[in-house]
């Protein structure tokens, strides 16, 4: 595979060449160099995204490398919080250490071979949606207001993608290209939209549930990344912090006039259970709306089938079985209606 490696540190080039050249054809350059790359090559950007001048150079490079469909950003561990920045710049994949580069390239190459028609290209909806999530999360982190039109655009693109290619293709593509919170948000939105289509919602209601799903975990933008991206089980203190995200999300959105009550309800209550054992308000069944019930099922299913660096994704069959065993917490007739979404779509 052709890999075009662009860096702001020329001293890194020999090591990267030594690492990749046994398997790939590497073209290297210093950021700012003019490079040519077709749609079958991978652009790999390894630069300090904290430096504004670098960010501008990357934007310029990407503006004339539109044909490059794969854009892999290397964001070293200490620049963890720059992952969102990478996606905002148009990354299609992000790795956080040199060690992860070869496995990620192998994954990209395998995807290209598996779907020669598209060359394994990341579909534009996924790139756009990840960019919208990145931009909303980063606005919150900088105490700026969220641009809701980004959430609306992202939701509309998910709906269009699923109507065109089906939910199964969406789930596979998202899991192949994304990790962590963005992967989760993209999956939940896709699953919720697929669910709404399956049960015959009107276009307006599909949009409503889709928007709730897009925004449901927005409060996670305020949860420390050390907790959000922790590769192991959270300890009780960390779990308590994580469980604040629905109330935080509600707080972030509640004064925005364009956010409807239904969306706020979804953001605050998607972790409530019918038997009152959920959080943050311990609501009982009578206080949990239909929209929230659909969102909760979509959210749990997405969390179960997510791919994580440290474990393979659970099969859709096994994940659906877990939902069926949650009688009393989830509405069983809705879980039954979800069957086709979980197993067939
Ligand atoms: Fe959540
Ligand atoms: Fe969630």
């Amino acid at each position: 595979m052709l890999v075009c490696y662009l860096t702001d540190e020329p001293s890194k080039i020999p090591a990267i060449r030594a690492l990749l050249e046994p398997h790939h054809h590497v073209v290297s350059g210093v950021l700012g160099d003019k490079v040519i790359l077709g749609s079958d090559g991978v652009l790999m950007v390894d630069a300090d995204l904290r430096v504004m001048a670098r960010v501008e150079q990357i934007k310029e490079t990407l503006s004339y490398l539109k044909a490059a469909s794969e854009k892999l950003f290397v964001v070293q561990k200490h620049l963890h919080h720059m992952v969102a920045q990478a996606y905002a710049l148009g990354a299609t994949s992000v790795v956080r250490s040199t060690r992860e580069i070869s496995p990620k390239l192998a994954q990209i190459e395998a995807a290209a071979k598996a779907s020669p028609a598209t060359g394994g290209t990341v579909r534009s909806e996924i790139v756009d949606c990840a960019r919208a999530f990145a931009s909303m999360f980063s606005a919150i982190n900088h105490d700026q207001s969220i641009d809701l039109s980004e959430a609306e655009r992202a939701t509309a693109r998910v709906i269009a993608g699923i109507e065109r290619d089906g939910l199964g293709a969406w789930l596979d593509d998202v899991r192949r290209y994304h990790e962590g919170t963005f992967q989760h948000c993209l999956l939940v939105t896709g699953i919720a939209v697929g669910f709404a289509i399956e049960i015959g919602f009107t276009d307006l209601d599909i949009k409503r549930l889709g928007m709730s799903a897009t925004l449901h975990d927005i409060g996670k933008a305020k949860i420390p990344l050390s907790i959000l991206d922790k590769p192991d089980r959270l300890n009780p203190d960390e779990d308590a912090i994580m469980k604040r995200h629905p109330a935080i999300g509600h707080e972030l959105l509640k004064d925005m006039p364009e956010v409807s009550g239904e969306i706020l309800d979804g953001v605050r209550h998607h972790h409530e259970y019918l038997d009152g054992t959920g959080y943050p308000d311990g609501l009982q069944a009578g206080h949990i709306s239909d929209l929230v019930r659909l969102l909760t099922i979509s959210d749990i299913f997405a969390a179960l089938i997510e791919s994580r660096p440290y474990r393979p994704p659970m099969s859709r069959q096994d994940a659906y079985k877990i939902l069926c065993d949650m009688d009393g917490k989830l509405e069983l007739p809705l879980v039954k209606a979800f069957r086709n979404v979980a197993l067939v779509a």
Side-chain angles (χ1 to χ4, degrees), residues 4 14 17 31 37 70 100 114 136-137 147 151 159 163 172 174 178 215 220 225 247 295 308 311 333 338:
C4 178
R17 279 188 171 281
L31 212 56
L37 188 67
E70 297 287 347
E100 293 175 22
M136 289 189 290
F137 271 59
D147 181 357
I159 295 171
E163 284 177 340
D172 290 345
V174 169
H178 276 276
L215 294 168
K220 285 186 179 170
L225 281 171
L295 184 56
R308 301 270 170 86
R311 66 149 171 82
F338 188 69

Side-chain angles (χ1 to χ4, degrees), residues 184 188 216-217 220 245 270-271 299:
H184 175 72
V188 176
H216 84 286
D217 272 343
K220 285 186 179 170
H245 77 268
H270 64 273
H271 287 288
D299 183 43

Side-chain angles (χ1 to χ4, degrees), residues 18-257:
L19 178 73
L20 301 181
E21 278 191 328
H23 301 291
H24 304 286
H25 178 62
V26 180
V27 177
S28 58
V30 177
L31 212 56
D33 287 354
K34 284 267 179 201
V35 289
I36 310 275
L37 188 67
S39 60
D40 54 342
V42 176
L43 175 68
M44 194 163 112
V45 179
D46 182 0
D48 188 345
L49 302 182
R50 292 170 302 184
V51 181
M52 269 326 283
R54 297 286 171 272
V55 171
E56 289 308 318
Q57 281 175 319
I58 293 168
K59 280 186 190 163
E60 198 196 318
T61 305
L62 294 180
S63 72
Y64 68 80
L65 279 184
K66 287 205 177 77
S69 53
E70 297 287 347
K71 300 174 189 98
L72 172 62
F73 278 57
V74 184
V75 175
Q76 301 290 350
K77 248 194 169 60
H78 63 284
L79 296 175
H80 206 169
H81 60 291
M82 288 286 115
V83 172
Q85 171 71 292
Y87 282 119
L89 284 166
T92 52
S93 324
V94 174
V95 292
R96 297 165 197 211
S97 67
T98 309
R99 173 165 61 77
E100 293 175 22
I101 293 173
S102 291
K104 181 54 84 177
L105 287 175
Q107 207 182 6
I108 292 171
E109 196 169 31
K113 282 187 185 143
S115 45
T118 59
T121 305
V122 190
R123 56 165 92 198
S124 63
E125 284 103 355
I126 293 183
V127 179
D128 282 355
C129 290
R131 194 179 281 152
F133 282 118
S135 152
M136 289 189 290
F137 271 59
S138 130
I140 293 167
N141 282 323
H142 292 94
D143 292 322
Q144 293 161 353
S145 57
I146 310 161
D147 181 357
L148 216 65
S149 65
E150 302 222 61
E152 277 165 5
R153 239 187 346 263
T155 307
R157 299 223 64 186
V158 177
I159 295 171
I162 287 173
E163 284 177 340
R164 196 189 56 233
D165 301 325
L167 178 62
W170 177 262
L171 299 183
D172 290 345
D173 283 0
V174 169
R175 286 188 295 180
R176 192 185 306 148
Y177 287 106
H178 276 276
E179 286 172 8
T181 307
F182 293 163
Q183 178 192 135
H184 175 72
C185 293
L186 290 163
L187 289 178
V188 176
T189 307
I191 292 164
V193 164
F195 198 0
I197 293 171
E198 170 68 23
I199 57 182
F201 269 19
T202 62
D203 286 352
L204 190 68
D205 285 335
I206 295 172
K207 237 186 245 171
R208 221 170 257 159
L209 182 59
M211 272 295 278
S212 273
T214 296
L215 294 168
H216 84 286
D217 272 343
I218 198 82
K220 285 186 179 170
K222 289 279 189 197
I223 303 296
L225 281 171
S226 56
I227 295 177
L228 207 54
D229 287 350
K230 187 175 173 184
D232 305 308
R233 196 172 271 280
L234 299 181
N235 68 37
D237 290 343
E238 292 164 337
D239 193 46
I241 294 171
M242 182 66 125
K243 283 183 169 163
R244 290 183 197 153
H245 77 268
I248 294 172
H250 179 259
E251 189 62 32
L252 287 167
L253 299 175
K254 74 177 178 13
D255 295 325
M256 295 177 69

